[in-house]
Amino acid sequence: WVACSFVARRSGSLALALMFGMIVVVNPNWFLGIQGQFYPDRLFVCAGFVLMWALHIRARLWSLLLISLFLVVLNERAALIGGLLIGMHAVLFGIGQGAPARSRVVTLIGIAGLLLVYAFLAKKYILTNAYYSSYMPASLSHLMDRLADGAFSRGIARNLLNNAFLLIPALFAPRYFLMALVVLAPNIVGSIGGAEKVGWSTHYHSYYFPVLVFAAAAGFLNLYGYLRSRIKWVMPAFALLSVVSVVAQEAGAWSEMGKPSQWLSSSLAQYLAYQKGQPTGYELRKRVSESFTPGTLISTNEMGMGLLHQQNSVAPFPLGLSKAQGILINCDELLLPVHLDGHAESLTVGQVLQ
């Protein structure tokens, strides 16, 4: 809605805003992301777009300071990305302007510097995160080795393909396109096992997505403004682009994790269940939690950890089976190969219970 509001206010056309909103909604970053992990990073999806909007309209410095403070409170990654965005915007849009603009540029670069320093200090002296040391390639040869890996390269292609309907409009706002590419780059060259590229339900896409959406919105508006006086059927052309984005996601299943129609039917089914008084997700989670004695060790999967970690000790299944007082897994996980006595085999129900 924030993206639609931006397009509507800048273009004066609600129809154009809805067309752009449709492109955003069928992006798996959105329709799968809202069903996925709600990490603190998710709050950056809205905050990042608001920051870009504030920079775009040259908002008062106190409002940028408030946004920056929110990013600092959120986490060090939000502060890092916020600092990069503020600094890049100051340079790309402020250099070469007159004397009044120069003083604002200097102030923005100062704010950006403070955010970057905070992120650096937090990472170096406060946080312990093993991912930081292995996520980005250590050298050019390391990057080449990653690119030579078929799964890694396919992940890059899938990411760019799914984001194509945002990347292409963003080209018509080249400076914002550059900012989006910089923030997207860690997901392209970094590696945490593939989720950073196509794990749309994870939180790894929270930082580049709002910047990419804003860049696409700015390009969408620039293209519309250029074509409006030159092409008679400009609105039908944009409507066609919106429809094509929906059809492409629906027919191509590029996300590999679901289609927009599946998300819509699932959401509708949950809403109808709620209306009929049937158990909701929250009630089911409560039932699961009440099934285990507080304080005991449970061997479980990632979803189970999220449900039980506040009341139980948890171990990643199948670790801890010999000491666990309970097990919480999906039924199909019994078929996954695990290492027993030095060789891989599938667990049977009897082995788990034993």
Side-chain angles (χ1 to χ4, degrees), residues 19-286:
M19 293 173 198
F20 180 74
M22 184 61 68
I23 295 175
V24 175
V25 165
V26 298
N27 185 289
N29 268 313
W30 177 254
F31 79 83
L32 290 172
I34 60 175
Q35 301 181 87
Q37 300 170 337
F38 188 74
Y39 281 50
D41 304 28
R42 290 292 192 191
L43 298 176
F44 189 84
V45 174
C46 183
F49 192 94
V50 171
L51 173 62
M52 293 294 292
W53 193 346
L55 291 169
H56 180 75
I57 64 174
R58 297 176 57 84
R60 294 176 183 270
L61 290 175
W62 65 264
S63 62
L64 290 173
L65 286 171
L66 284 178
I67 297 172
S68 299
L69 179 61
F70 175 78
L71 299 182
V72 167
V73 173
L74 189 55
N75 57 39
E76 88 292 346
R77 294 183 299 279
L80 172 65
I81 300 300
L84 286 174
L85 293 175
I86 293 173
M88 283 191 291
H89 194 279
V91 172
L92 293 173
F93 291 86
I95 298 300
Q97 301 296 319
R102 267 198 301 270
S103 115
R104 180 181 174 86
V105 168
V106 171
T107 303
L108 289 178
I109 291 177
I111 295 173
L114 289 174
L115 288 171
L116 294 176
V117 168
Y118 164 77
F120 171 79
L121 293 176
K123 172 186 175 296
K124 187 170 181 64
Y125 297 108
I126 300 175
L127 300 174
T128 302
N129 191 332
Y131 289 140
Y132 274 126
S133 60
S134 60
Y135 180 71
M136 297 295 286
S139 63
L140 181 59
S141 61
H142 188 194
L143 175 60
M144 292 299 104
D145 291 340
R146 286 185 174 184
L147 293 174
D149 181 81
F152 187 86
S153 298
R154 284 193 297 273
I156 294 176
R158 286 282 177 182
N159 182 286
L160 297 178
L161 188 61
N162 277 278
N163 288 313
F165 285 96
L166 294 175
L167 286 166
I168 293 173
L171 287 169
F172 296 95
R175 288 177 287 186
Y176 286 128
F177 177 73
L178 177 60
M179 294 173 68
L181 282 186
V182 169
V183 183
L184 175 61
N187 288 69
I188 298 300
V189 302
S191 177
I192 204 169
E196 78 288 341
K197 292 176 177 57
V198 294
W200 310 111
S201 63
T202 67
H203 61 109
Y204 302 119
H205 303 262
S206 304
Y207 291 105
Y208 76 79
F209 184 58
V211 185
L212 178 57
V213 169
F214 187 89
F220 202 75
L221 289 167
N222 288 345
L223 184 60
Y224 173 73
Y226 177 80
L227 295 177
R228 182 170 51 180
S229 59
R230 292 172 173 82
I231 298 179
K232 182 178 180 181
W233 300 101
V234 63
M235 290 300 283
F238 276 84
L240 179 63
L241 174 64
S242 180
V243 171
V244 168
S245 71
V246 176
V247 172
Q249 284 289 356
E250 185 66 28
W254 294 341
S255 71
E256 296 184 331
M257 294 178 65
K259 302 178 181 180
S261 62
Q262 293 171 333
W263 162 74
L264 183 62
S265 61
S266 173
S267 300
L268 182 60
Q270 293 179 47
Y271 174 75
L272 293 176
Y274 172 77
Q275 290 292 321
K276 295 176 181 178
Q278 297 174 353
T280 63
Y282 292 103
E283 292 169 338
L284 293 174
R285 293 174 186 177
K286 183 179 179 182

Side-chain angles (χ1 to χ4, degrees), residues 306-324:
L307 293 174
L308 300 175
H309 76 279
Q310 292 181 325
Q311 69 171 41
N312 295 93
S313 299
V314 293
F317 177 83
L319 300 180
L321 283 177
S322 61
K323 299 179 180 179

